Amino acid sequence: MLHILGAGSMGLLWAARLQRAGFPTQLILRNIERLAAWQAHAGQLELTDPGQHQHISLSLNAELPDSPEPIRFLLVATKAYAAEDAVRSVQHRLSADADVLLLQNGMGSQQAISRQLPRHRVFYATVTDGAWRPSAHQLIWAGHGQTIIGDPRQGPPPDWLTRWQEHGLTLEWHADIMAILWRKLAINCAINPLTALLDCPNGELLERAHGRLEELSQELQLLMSAFGIPLSLDILRTQLDQVIRQTATNSSSMRQDIHCGRRTEIDFMLGFALRSADQLSLAVPALRKLNAELQTYLATHGLPLD
Ligand code: NAD
Ligand code: KPL
């Protein structure tokens, strides 16, 4: 049994993908109200995959964090700011050999959970799929992306990954997941806050924020290099340009969060980058200015600043 903590867009997408591939899943919902609402719909999920012209209906089991069954495998699919508390709520159920897989965007929550679970193997992932929920029981898999999984302690790939791949799940293993997370972080630090501040889709940044993207790329490259992440400025510029072009019509996750009045994951993007720069007394004025502007913007929208 695979336990999935958090039944939002990513949790439901993974539950659906795993269950359809033949792996039984169990959702863990936050409280009795959410469980009752889920069960009132008989646990039904309507999954629409417009790219594949598919509409699938499936039934997913759910339980509460204090359910008695031990957890052998835990997929954490909450937002970054909720992940530590969510894991704490089920920590007592993890069996000694349980593996944990973290899907959170940004950085910081992963390291905190690794510290929280020193005796378990905790895997990190970056995900570029796009999924959203028109309602609690409907999920749109808007874009198929890439999922890269790795072990921050650089251990070997786990057996479950091979089994999942053999059953058709497209997942990649990377021996240096920290480098992958840093690169994704750099891209998120450059794109997300600017699209939020300019209130524009990703593609418009190329015209409207070219100079700022360049300043940010330079600082992010210096920061990564200081943390031993090998990435030349040219490659970072090229990757950033590619992501902006490939996602030109997308609204970044931060812009979407702000539009919906939701807390953003800023603290796990710019916040993490600034704390990392502080650790090494590295000057990053462009990142700092961007963070200050975003804090003001969030405050004017009545949203949490972290
Ligand atoms: P979401 O808000 O849709 O889902 C998070 C779910 O976690 C919610 O249902 C919430 O109720 C639940 N939750 C929070 N605290 C909990 C707790 N203590 N116990 C149980 N459940 C709890 O968020 P999402 O879009 O699924 O994003 C999850 C992560 O994946 C984020 O870090 C996000 O940046 C990343 N991500 C999302 C997408 C996407 O397209 N949605 C793509 C790539 C990466
Ligand atoms: O990951 C993203 C996000 O919006 O969080 C990008 C790559 C910027 C795509 O929108």
Side-chain angles (χ1 to χ4, degrees):
M1 176 65 68
L2 306 173
H3 283 86
I4 298 184
L5 184 56
S9 305
M10 277 296 116
L12 292 175
L13 179 63
W14 279 69
R17 290 176 72 195
L18 286 163
Q19 191 146 306
R20 294 192 70 225
F23 301 100
T25 61
Q26 184 79 17
L27 297 168
I28 304 178
L29 306 187
R30 201 192 316 212
N31 55 38
I32 191 84
E33 290 77 20
R34 283 167 197 260
L35 183 62
W38 185 256
Q39 286 168 343
H41 275 74
Q44 286 295 309
L45 176 71
E46 304 293 324
L47 170 65
T48 304
D49 183 345
Q52 305 289 314
H53 306 289
Q54 276 186 339
H55 183 84
I56 299 145
S57 185
L58 68 163
S59 173
L60 297 170
N61 290 329
E63 66 186 26
L64 289 173
D66 61 4
S67 173
E69 192 195 341
I71 297 175
R72 301 282 310 275
F73 177 90
L74 182 69
L75 178 77
V76 183
T78 67
K79 295 279 196 182
Y81 49 75
E84 262 187 271
D85 280 351
V87 169
R88 197 166 293 115
S89 73
V90 295
Q91 197 165 337
H92 61 285
R93 293 176 55 194
L94 290 174
S95 59
D97 59 351
D99 283 349
V100 178
L101 174 59
L102 307 178
L103 296 189
Q104 285 60 50
N105 221 348
M107 272 168 87
S109 66
Q110 298 90 342
Q111 291 89 333
I113 291 170
S114 286
R115 285 193 295 273
Q116 204 174 324
L117 303 176
R119 282 184 289 280
H120 289 91
R121 275 193 91 184
V122 180
F123 297 87
Y124 302 172
T126 59
V127 180
T128 61
D129 289 270
W132 62 282
R133 285 174 305 151
S135 75
H137 296 268
Q138 293 173 304
L139 182 70
I140 314 286
W141 192 359
H144 289 229
Q146 191 187 24
T147 299
I148 306 179
I149 297 176
D151 177 355
R153 295 182 192 157
Q154 303 194 321
D159 294 344
W160 46 261
L161 183 74
T162 318
R163 282 199 299 279
W164 293 4
Q165 289 167 326
E166 285 167 357
H167 283 73
L169 286 150
T170 39
L171 307 165
E172 291 169 41
W173 175 257
H174 201 288
D176 190 358
I177 191 68
M178 296 313 289
I180 301 290
L181 285 178
W182 265 104
R183 287 174 189 213
K184 176 87 168 42
L185 179 94
I187 285 171
N188 285 133
C189 282
I191 299 179
N192 295 34
L194 286 173
T195 58
L197 289 171
L198 296 169
D199 195 16
C200 69
N202 297 354
E204 283 186 24
L205 292 184
L206 292 178
E207 278 179 19
R208 296 179 63 186
H210 187 75
R212 292 196 79 174
L213 286 174
E214 176 56 27
E215 282 176 345
L216 292 168
S217 301
Q218 290 180 12
E219 289 185 6
L220 287 161
Q221 193 273 335
L222 277 179
L223 182 61
M224 283 196 282
S225 154
F227 276 86
I229 307 298
L231 186 69
S232 72
L233 183 55
D234 273 351
I235 294 181
L236 178 59
R237 278 193 195 113
T238 307
Q239 287 183 347
L240 187 57
D241 188 80
Q242 274 170 357
V243 172
I244 293 178
R245 287 179 197 281
Q246 282 161 3
T247 63
T249 57
N250 282 21
S251 198
S252 77
S253 55
M254 191 172 288
R255 181 176 179 230
Q256 287 180 46
D257 284 340
I258 293 171
H259 278 192
C260 297
R262 291 188 299 244
R263 182 173 174 183
T264 70
E265 294 183 302
I266 181 65
D267 198 43
F268 300 86
M269 295 177 182
L270 277 179
F272 180 86
L274 291 177
R275 286 192 293 280
S276 303
D278 286 345
Q279 267 176 36
L280 303 182
S281 306
L282 208 67
V284 284
L287 284 165
R288 219 166 278 290
K289 177 166 178 276
L290 184 60
N291 188 51
E293 285 173 79
L294 196 74
Q295 299 286 329
T296 307
Y297 190 75
L298 293 174
T300 58
H301 283 72
L303 290 171
L305 307 183
D306 60 356

